[in-house]
Amino acid sequence: MNIYDIAKLAGVSIATVSRVVNDSPKVSEKAKEKVRRVMEENHYTPNVFARGLGLGSMKAVGIICPDVADTYMARAVSYLEKNLQGYGYDCILYCSGYDAEDKQQAVERILKKQIDALLLVGSDYADESADYYACIKEVSGQLPVVLINGYLEEEHIYCVLADDFQAVYDVTDELLFAGKERILFLTDSDSYSARRKLEGYRAAFKEHGVEINEKWILQTEQGIYATRDMLLRQRNLHFDGVIAVNDSLAVGALKYMHARDIKVPGEINVVGYNNSELSISCEPELTSVDTRPEVLCKTAIDSVMALLSGKSMKQKQMVKCHLVKRSTTDF
Amino acid sequence: MNIYDIAKLAGVSIATVSRVVNDSPKVSEKAKEKVRRVMEENHYTPNVFARGLGLGSMKAVGIICPDVADTYMARAVSYLEKNLQGYGYDCILYCSGYDAEDKQQAVERILKKQIDALLLVGSDYADESADYYACIKEVSGQLPVVLINGYLEEEHIYCVLADDFQAVYDVTDELLFAGKERILFLTDSDSYSARRKLEGYRAAFKEHGVEINEKWILQTEQGIYATRDMLLRQRNLHFDGVIAVNDSLAVGALKYMHARDIKVPGEINVVGYNNSELSISCEPELTSVDTRPEVLCKTAIDSVMALLSGKSMKQKQMVKCHLVKRSTTDF
């Protein structure tokens, strides 16, 4: 039972139902009574988001991401915008940067705008201890908030995310089966998605009964050169596999192997993440996890529109990843 | 002499000057007379854009680009948004795609919004024969229109662009000096910027008195694999240098050389364009032209703000490029 059903049963437009929900003076008391009776009879609790419907909505959705220059986020924003266009909605873009304070400001600023929904791109926003979390939580009662590739256990914050746990579990499992037992886990972030990837890595080792050397879990700065240099600085680190949380780090690892004249995949297998253009630029070409941002973003926008039309949504929607095998692995 | 000076001399706020320019009923006839006298005495012709000032402006700038998933455009949008934020303006993003009809629609849609200025990113919009050109031209009398990396000879369309002619002239000149005389020019577009690059290529050959074989000017589809495959299909094409209009095409050329076991830079020198992350992902790492989008975008936003505050601007502003030399060239 949604707003459309109520409108039909009450013999009024959905705009009228929406106005009744908001107790608009534009609707006669008689019509209000009728609509309210239908709602009661059908145990219909109006979705607060249905308020926006046709009532001076700007038909605009706010999108916040840390930096649209990032390849993954650029693709996500591109898909989100395309899907929003399909629904006749505009996209107001804010790049918040990575600092907690700047994120806070971006959230505060965008919430002052007349937006119909708020999209947060990137798992960097899934931090429950941050100040902006309180803002997002508060606003989530008033307009649809969708987190893309992040998760918050909050009734009204809808999360659409890649199944990073399963993707890394699966590829670690394949590497272990192929006899690689000293696998580095390279990360440049402590985001929700990076943590889930690490959990997948640990779970696969556990399943195989192989112990992880904690030295294999390596934190690096962002970027190709930073990763290469960090690996060049390591002493007595022996490994035969690398799983990186994004393609930049994986390419950085390849640069290290190139500098050390290590054969890939003969001596070391390397797996990247995001299946970006980088993965086909390097030599050998990179096996990489495709998180299918096109599916993720379509799901996110469809969800926003469903919420705006008064339908209910699952709070958490997972999208399965695909491993694209190229020349840096030999399984 | 700008709107601020007039406001000061008339002893009123700039909002009042703006209202007088627009003949707003909110200003008394007495004040109007005073402001008009000051304007006349100082031979001040109000900039039409000054209208927006403080008069219910949404403080939003519309940005259109073909596709923000493109690395170059993603960086540009990121810099533009950052600079707009600095001025307290929002960014409404439209991705139009590459089809003329879709561009037309995007331009029409964004012009229906209450935007204070319109930014067009990418030289794909510098097509005077397109239908959307008429729209852009018309609107350029009403709000600042800035073309980024494109050029239109139109009084009120402000153009900020990389000096692509000079950049390609210079690198072709270096290649010719280094003894490379059979240089391919790889392009995937017929945009303004691609044409300017080609002119730079031709001019350098002319300067050196070396004749160009027209077969060296090669059109390819977008992307790394398409470029590699196009080169693999060529028969009897002998060359010792490659200049590509973007890094993807240059990496595609490197893939071709890898497949053919051709030594780079020993046998062939390769030069890319945009200095993207791709240029450091490939092996050997790519010499590439840095078009300095950070400077370009800052210049564009500073210009918009200058126009909005009633200042006059140069119609065409060029930004000098830098060649970043890496391992695919030996000069």
Side-chain angles (χ1 to χ4, degrees):
Chain A
M1 184 65 55
N2 63 34
I3 192 168
Y4 294 100
D5 303 316
I6 298 298
K8 210 174 166 186
L9 288 169
V12 298
S13 70
I14 49 167
T16 302
V17 178
S18 187
R19 288 196 185 95
V20 174
V21 168
N22 291 284
D23 203 17
S24 158
K26 287 185 188 166
V27 183
S28 70
E29 281 309 316
K30 201 181 147 197
K32 274 184 191 170
E33 212 166 280
K34 188 176 168 194
V35 172
R36 282 182 186 137
R37 203 179 52 234
V38 173
M39 293 200 294
E40 266 166 40
E41 282 168 11
N42 292 279
H43 310 289
Y44 173 73
T45 314
N47 180 320
V48 286
F49 308 143
R51 283 188 203 167
L53 259 186
L55 288 174
S57 148
M58 295 293 287
K59 296 207 99 184
V61 169
I63 299 183
I64 303 189
C65 71
D67 184 6
V68 76
D70 173 275
T71 320
Y72 176 82
M73 291 173 210
R75 285 175 70 192
V77 170
S78 169
Y79 288 125
L80 291 171
E81 196 274 342
K82 228 166 272 176
N83 280 284
L84 283 171
Q85 256 192 44
Y87 282 104
Y89 277 73
D90 290 334
C91 140
I92 298 180
L93 177 69
Y94 275 53
C95 302
S96 70
Y98 292 89
D99 287 350
E101 210 172 298
D102 295 338
K103 284 184 196 162
Q104 173 73 22
Q105 267 192 7
V107 169
E108 279 173 16
R109 274 192 60 202
I110 207 158
L111 291 179
K112 283 186 193 143
K113 305 290 152 187
Q114 274 191 279
I115 51 172
D116 297 299
L118 176 62
L119 299 173
L120 302 150
V121 180
S123 54
D124 294 277
Y125 299 104
D127 179 0
E128 291 172 35
S129 64
D131 284 343
Y132 58 80
Y133 177 61
C135 288
I136 295 172
K137 195 174 151 180
E138 199 187 313
V139 84
S140 72
Q142 298 151 42
L143 83 174
V145 174
V146 178
L147 194 56
I148 286 149
N149 233 10
Y151 184 67
L152 287 166
E153 206 175 325
E154 194 57 54
E155 197 186 342
H156 286 301
I157 299 181
Y158 297 86
C159 304
V160 183
L161 56 163
D163 194 347
D164 293 318
F165 172 90
Q166 197 60 43
V168 174
Y169 178 92
D170 289 346
V171 74
T172 309
D173 181 59
E174 286 214 59
L175 284 166
L176 288 164
F177 259 120
K180 310 286 174 191
E181 299 211 325
R182 290 166 296 157
I183 306 167
L184 290 195
F185 181 87
L186 281 183
T187 182
D188 61 355
S189 125
D190 186 40
S191 68
Y192 175 80
S193 130
R195 290 196 303 273
R196 291 292 289 156
K197 289 169 190 169
L198 183 55
E199 284 166 22
Y201 167 87
R202 289 190 187 281
F205 270 88
K206 198 173 175 192
E207 183 69 26
H208 280 254
V210 179
E211 211 170 316
I212 294 170
N213 180 338
E214 292 298 320
K215 278 203 245 160
W216 297 340
I217 297 160
L218 280 175
Q219 186 82 29
T220 176
E221 300 285 306
Q222 284 184 0
I224 294 173
Y225 290 152
T227 306
R228 177 198 62 192
D229 296 344
M230 183 275 295
L231 286 171
L232 285 169
R233 282 194 305 269
Q234 300 297 317
R235 298 261 169 263
N236 302 317
L237 186 70
H238 303 286
F239 55 100
D240 51 17
V242 172
I243 295 173
V245 300
N246 63 51
D247 288 334
S248 278
L249 306 192
V251 170
L254 286 178
K255 295 268 157 195
Y256 156 81
M257 290 155 206
H258 196 78
R260 285 272 193 263
D261 215 13
I262 296 168
K263 286 193 182 52
V264 178
E267 296 174 64
I268 301 183
N269 276 207
V270 181
V271 177
Y273 219 95
N274 291 342
N275 196 36
S276 69
E277 209 180 4
L278 293 189
S279 66
I280 60 165
S281 298
C282 53
E283 288 295 343
E285 292 181 14
L286 192 61
T287 292
S288 185
V289 174
D290 180 2
T291 55
R292 304 202 294 159
E294 69 284 8
V295 178
L296 222 106
C297 294
K298 188 181 182 307
T299 307
I301 300 302
D302 288 347
S303 300
V304 165
M305 296 304 152
L307 290 165
L308 285 175
S309 69
K311 294 197 187 98
S312 65
M313 288 301 304
K314 271 173 66 180
Q315 193 257 336
K316 184 183 190 177
Q317 296 179 81
M318 293 271 248
V319 172
K320 206 178 168 318
C321 303
H322 285 163
L323 184 68
V324 181
K325 291 184 186 178
R326 296 199 184 86
S327 312
T328 55
T329 47
D330 50 15
F331 50 79
Chain B
M1 182 67 55
N2 64 33
I3 192 167
Y4 293 100
D5 303 316
I6 298 297
K8 209 171 167 187
L9 288 169
V12 298
S13 71
I14 49 167
T16 302
V17 178
S18 186
R19 286 196 185 96
V20 173
V21 169
N22 290 284
D23 202 18
S24 159
K26 287 185 188 167
V27 184
S28 71
E29 282 309 315
K30 200 179 149 198
K32 275 185 191 169
E33 211 166 283
K34 187 175 167 194
V35 172
R36 281 182 187 138
R37 202 179 53 235
V38 173
M39 292 200 294
E40 266 166 41
E41 282 168 9
N42 292 278
H43 310 289
Y44 174 72
T45 315
N47 180 320
V48 287
F49 308 142
R51 285 186 201 169
L53 261 184
L55 288 174
S57 149
M58 295 292 289
K59 294 208 102 186
V61 169
I63 299 184
I64 303 188
C65 70
D67 185 5
V68 76
D70 172 275
T71 321
Y72 176 80
M73 291 174 210
R75 285 175 70 192
V77 171
S78 168
Y79 288 126
L80 291 171
E81 196 274 342
K82 227 165 273 176
N83 279 284
L84 283 172
Q85 256 192 44
Y87 282 104
Y89 276 73
D90 289 335
C91 142
I92 298 180
L93 178 68
Y94 274 52
C95 302
S96 71
Y98 291 89
D99 287 351
E101 211 173 297
D102 295 338
K103 283 182 196 163
Q104 173 72 22
Q105 268 191 7
V107 168
E108 278 173 16
R109 274 192 60 203
I110 206 158
L111 291 180
K112 284 186 193 142
K113 306 288 152 189
Q114 274 191 280
I115 52 173
D116 296 298
L118 177 61
L119 299 173
L120 301 149
V121 181
S123 54
D124 293 277
Y125 297 104
D127 179 0
E128 291 172 35
S129 64
D131 285 343
Y132 59 80
Y133 177 61
C135 291
I136 296 172
K137 196 175 149 180
E138 201 187 312
V139 84
S140 72
Q142 298 150 41
L143 81 174
V145 174
V146 178
L147 195 56
I148 287 149
N149 233 10
Y151 183 67
L152 287 166
E153 207 176 325
E154 194 58 54
E155 196 186 342
H156 286 300
I157 299 181
Y158 298 85
C159 304
V160 183
L161 57 164
D163 195 347
D164 293 317
F165 173 90
Q166 196 62 44
V168 175
Y169 178 93
D170 288 346
V171 75
T172 309
D173 181 60
E174 285 213 60
L175 284 166
L176 287 164
F177 259 121
K180 308 289 174 190
E181 297 210 327
R182 290 166 297 155
I183 306 166
L184 290 194
F185 181 85
L186 281 183
T187 181
D188 61 356
S189 125
D190 185 40
S191 68
Y192 176 79
S193 128
R195 290 197 302 274
R196 291 293 288 155
K197 289 168 189 168
L198 183 55
E199 284 166 22
Y201 168 87
R202 288 190 187 281
F205 271 88
K206 198 174 174 189
E207 182 70 26
H208 280 254
V210 178
E211 212 170 317
I212 293 170
N213 181 337
E214 291 299 319
K215 279 206 250 162
W216 297 341
I217 297 161
L218 281 174
Q219 187 81 28
T220 177
E221 300 285 306
Q222 285 183 359
I224 294 173
Y225 289 151
T227 306
R228 176 197 62 191
D229 296 344
M230 184 274 296
L231 286 171
L232 285 169
R233 282 194 305 271
Q234 301 298 315
R235 297 261 169 263
N236 301 316
L237 187 71
H238 304 287
F239 55 99
D240 51 17
V242 172
I243 297 173
V245 301
N246 63 52
D247 288 335
S248 279
L249 306 192
V251 170
L254 287 178
K255 295 267 157 195
Y256 156 81
M257 291 155 207
H258 195 77
R260 285 273 193 263
D261 214 14
I262 296 167
K263 288 193 179 53
V264 178
E267 296 174 65
I268 302 183
N269 277 207
V270 181
V271 178
Y273 220 94
N274 291 342
N275 197 35
S276 68
E277 209 181 5
L278 293 188
S279 66
I280 60 165
S281 297
C282 54
E283 289 293 343
E285 292 180 14
L286 191 62
T287 293
S288 186
V289 174
D290 179 1
T291 55
R292 304 201 295 158
E294 69 285 8
V295 177
L296 223 106
C297 295
K298 187 179 185 304
T299 307
I301 300 303
D302 287 347
S303 299
V304 165
M305 296 304 151
L307 289 166
L308 286 174
S309 70
K311 292 195 188 100
S312 64
M313 287 300 303
K314 269 173 70 181
Q315 192 258 337
K316 185 181 189 178
Q317 295 179 81
M318 295 271 247
V319 172
K320 207 177 167 317
C321 303
H322 285 164
L323 184 69
V324 181
K325 291 185 187 179
R326 295 198 183 89
S327 312
T328 55
T329 46
D330 50 15
F331 51 77

